[in-house]
Amino acid sequence: MGQQVCRVGDIGVGICFGHPVPTPFVTVFVNGDDIVDIDGREMMRIGDIGVCSCGHISIAVSGSGQDFTGSNGMRPHRVGDVGITNGPGTYVAVTGSPITDSE
C-alpha cells in the first residue's frame, strides 16, 4: 500500500523561519495537474505550489518515484512528502485522497 496522493485543496503543516519568531503555518495546495483528476480535484505534483497561512508560498519538493499516466512525467506529491517555503521553511503534507495512493 502506498501513500495517499495530494490534490488541490489538501494541506501541509510546517514551520516558517522567515519571521522574527519561527511561525507555525498551514499551506493549502493551489495548483496541480489539469490532466490528472483525483477524486474530482487536480493532482498535486512535485513543483506545484501552495499558499501558507504565514503569508509565504510553498513548493512541493518530494513525491512518488512513479508518475501517473497523463501527468506529463510529473511525480505526485503525497501525504508524508515534504515541501519548502520561500520564508524559508518546510512543511509535511498531511491530507490527501482517501482512495488514491502511490508508491
Side-chain angles (χ1 to χ4, degrees):
M1 177 112 178
Q3 295 163 262
Q4 295 174 336
V5 173
C6 297
R7 307 148 300 170
V8 168
D10 283 324
I11 64 170
V13 295
I15 303 288
C16 184
F17 297 96
H19 306 276
V21 175
T23 303
F25 69 87
V26 173
T27 187
V28 178
F29 306 138
V30 296
N31 84 309
D33 191 326
D34 59 358
I35 296 171
V36 178
D37 182 273
I38 305 289
D39 309 331
R41 296 192 260 170
E42 295 176 2
M43 180 183 77
M44 225 2 229
R45 306 158 298 177
I46 295 173
D48 286 334
I49 64 169
V51 175
C52 303
S53 59
C54 69
H56 290 103
I57 63 165
S58 65
I59 302 169
V61 296
S62 72
S64 174
Q66 303 173 354
D67 65 347
F68 271 60
T69 302
S71 67
N72 297 320
M74 300 293 286
R75 299 180 323 189
H77 193 53
R78 305 157 304 165
V79 171
D81 288 332
V82 298
I84 59 172
T85 72
N86 65 336
T90 60
Y91 75 83
V92 174
V94 296
T95 66
S97 170
I99 59 173
T100 304
D101 61 32
S102 178
E103 297 297 325

